Amino acid sequence: MSDVTMNVWRGDGDGGDFAEYTLPSQEGEVVLDVIHRIQATQAGDLACRWNCKAGKCGSCSAEVNGKPRLMCMTRMDQLPEGPVTVAPMKAFPIIRDLVTDVSFNFEMAKQVPAFAPPPRPEGGYRMQQIDIERGQEFRKCIECFMCQDVCHVIRDHEENKAHYAGPRFFIRYAELEMHPLDTNDRRELVRQKAGLGMCNITKCCTEVCPEHIKITDNAIIPMKERVVDASYDPVAWLGRKILRRQKASPGEAAAHGA
Amino acid sequence: MSVEAPTVTPVQLGGPRGGPAVRTLRTDNWWVQPTISVIVLTAFVVYSTWAVFVNKDYYVGAAAHRDLISPFYSPCITGSCVAGAHGTFFVLTWWHITPAVLILGGPLGFRLTCYYYRRAYYRGFWQSPPACGVGDAHTKYTGETRFPLILQNVHRYFFLLGLVFNTILTIDAVMAFRLPGDGTFGVSIGTLVLVTNAALLWMYSLSCHAARHLCGGNVRSFSTHPIRYRIWRFLTPLNARHMQLAWISLVFVALTDLYVRLVSAGVFSDPKIF
């Protein structure tokens, strides 16, 4: 049986380095299995965050050979020959070893204005299946935050964190904006405060999403186009002036009894 | 209703990051894709610039029993157009340099502001970032929030302009079924080239994200807009292939020009199929 060599980042906020671990390879293992074997046999103090081992909790995000991946869903036999590098997510502050502080994301989540349906009597909220399906894709998000990690806007530019929500929250904004019962208009907010214009649609978020959400095509670009409707399209602006329409689509809201 | 800006909780921007201070830990050939993008786009720019300014061999006319015009020169609406190439209803007789310059802006602007091409050239040329998980080549980054990149937001207008050019190129393709002096109707390889070019351009345009938005993506509720929903559903699978259509249509436009150019220059004749 051959051996597998793992270069695992060990360290905390004061610094760190890669530590090399060599152990016998076992058939069918994923990276997280090997990390657990390292914990069990060679480094009992190796810190990593994990929970479900099924690609559904989003806890074990790390950078395997330089790409953000869920360790529990990355099979060892699908990685190229040679040492495997495992590092913590680069965009977030390190706590220890492979564990990072992802609270940036929770702060950004607080800033998304909540779903605001119109007042209705009990049983008055009805949606058609085609409207439900539209937002369903976005609800697959498991909040692994790998899209946030790989996004160069904050990964390579820490200063942008203060005014950039990131791909995970752009799909939240999109989901709410595409909800037929929602009455909020978040377009100006997403343009000015959430930094949608910072995204240059290089699609890395889509590439790394373990749920295969089409983040860029189905959320970010549609949101960019909605922002164009609201802020950059002179014809749309003229139309609103002539028809005396608000930025939100009151006709659509009215169609739902808002 | 418009929402108020929420009370912003001070974001903990964090402390020291983990991992080594290197540009990337990737060991695969991440540089291949941006390199290919740079090579193909540069080759297209070089070829199309030459083709635009060479100002000859862009039309195969009645002398060769054909009616084939290069997509770079259509619509040919200037006084400098070769006989037979230009239309009759609108001709700028005072324009004497290459007519292609006049129409270059439409298709160029459409592709330059295209969401897919933006990805390609931001990665390939601007290295921002060159690949996922590879460091941005620039220390400062403001995205598309400032001039000139904020102008990318005009993409939908170039999309609409692109439809005009597609219509004209479709007319050119239909006209290419005429074989003057060799029967009233026929099909040659040149006909098929022009038809394929027009079809690819239509598919590229209709797969555009702006098209998907304007045709139905901008509504909050599909169920109350059933026709727009159907159009949106029709365009969505095309949109999923926008990247492929962007590359194929780009290369085919150049190949179409090359074919017409070679036939016009007499390198070979355009074979008639029937």
Side-chain angles (χ1 to χ4, degrees), chain A residues 90 131 134 154-156 158 183-185 197-198 200 202 204 217-218 224-226 229 233 252, chain B residues 1 3 9 13 16-17 115 123 128 132 136 138 141 144 156-157 209 212-213 217 219-220 222-223:
Chain A
K90 187 179 176 183
D131 292 323
R134 195 180 192 188
I154 49 177
R155 180 185 179 90
D156 299 322
E158 178 80 18
T183 56
N184 277 335
D185 180 357
M198 302 286 280
N200 67 346
T202 42
C204 287
D217 287 332
N218 289 349
K224 276 181 174 266
E225 286 295 319
R226 284 168 185 245
D229 287 341
D233 186 341
E252 293 171 28
Chain B
M1 63 182 176
V3 290
T9 313
L13 294 182
R17 296 174 173 196
Y115 284 103
R123 281 195 185 195
S128 183
C132 305
D136 197 325
H138 306 270
Y141 177 83
E144 297 177 340
R156 61 181 56 177
Y157 289 104
H209 293 84
R212 190 174 173 233
H213 173 77
V219 300
R220 263 191 194 262
F222 282 147
S223 58

Side-chain angles (χ1 to χ4, degrees), chain A residues 31-185:
Chain A
V31 172
L32 185 60
D33 293 327
V34 182
I35 294 294
H36 281 164
R37 278 206 290 138
I38 293 171
Q39 280 182 327
T41 60
Q42 299 184 37
D45 61 343
L46 172 62
C48 80
R49 185 185 282 134
W50 68 283
N51 190 20
C52 73
K53 287 187 78 175
K56 287 297 167 194
C57 73
S59 301
C60 63
S61 308
E63 300 197 1
V64 180
N65 284 347
K67 289 187 83 171
R69 308 182 80 152
L70 292 179
M71 288 194 287
C72 70
M73 299 301 286
T74 307
R75 291 179 63 95
M76 290 296 292
D77 58 10
Q78 290 180 350
L79 295 173
E81 292 287 322
V84 176
T85 303
V86 187
M89 287 195 286
K90 187 179 176 183
F92 308 118
I94 190 167
I95 296 175
R96 190 176 142 179
D97 300 338
L98 301 179
V99 181
T100 52
D101 177 0
V102 295
S103 56
F104 160 77
N105 302 291
F106 306 131
E107 295 301 329
M108 284 299 156
K110 291 177 194 170
Q111 297 181 18
V112 183
F115 174 57
R120 295 269 174 89
E122 190 174 340
Y125 297 108
R126 297 290 173 91
M127 278 176 70
Q128 299 297 311
Q129 186 62 28
I130 52 174
D131 292 323
I132 294 169
E133 285 167 0
R134 195 180 192 188
Q136 206 66 25
E137 177 188 14
F138 306 136
R139 299 197 74 83
K140 292 193 300 179
C141 176
I142 59 172
E143 297 210 313
C144 60
F145 301 128
M146 292 199 296
C147 58
Q148 304 282 81
D149 175 49
V150 81
C151 181
H152 73 113
V153 178
I154 49 177
R155 180 185 179 90
D156 299 322
H157 306 280
E158 178 80 18
E159 71 280 5
N160 289 335
K161 275 187 177 172
H163 47 266
Y164 184 71
R168 190 274 166 264
F169 299 103
F170 292 147
I171 68 172
R172 179 67 181 147
Y173 279 100
E175 181 195 344
L176 291 168
E177 278 297 302
M178 294 173 187
H179 197 299
L181 290 175
D182 186 69
T183 56
N184 277 335
D185 180 357

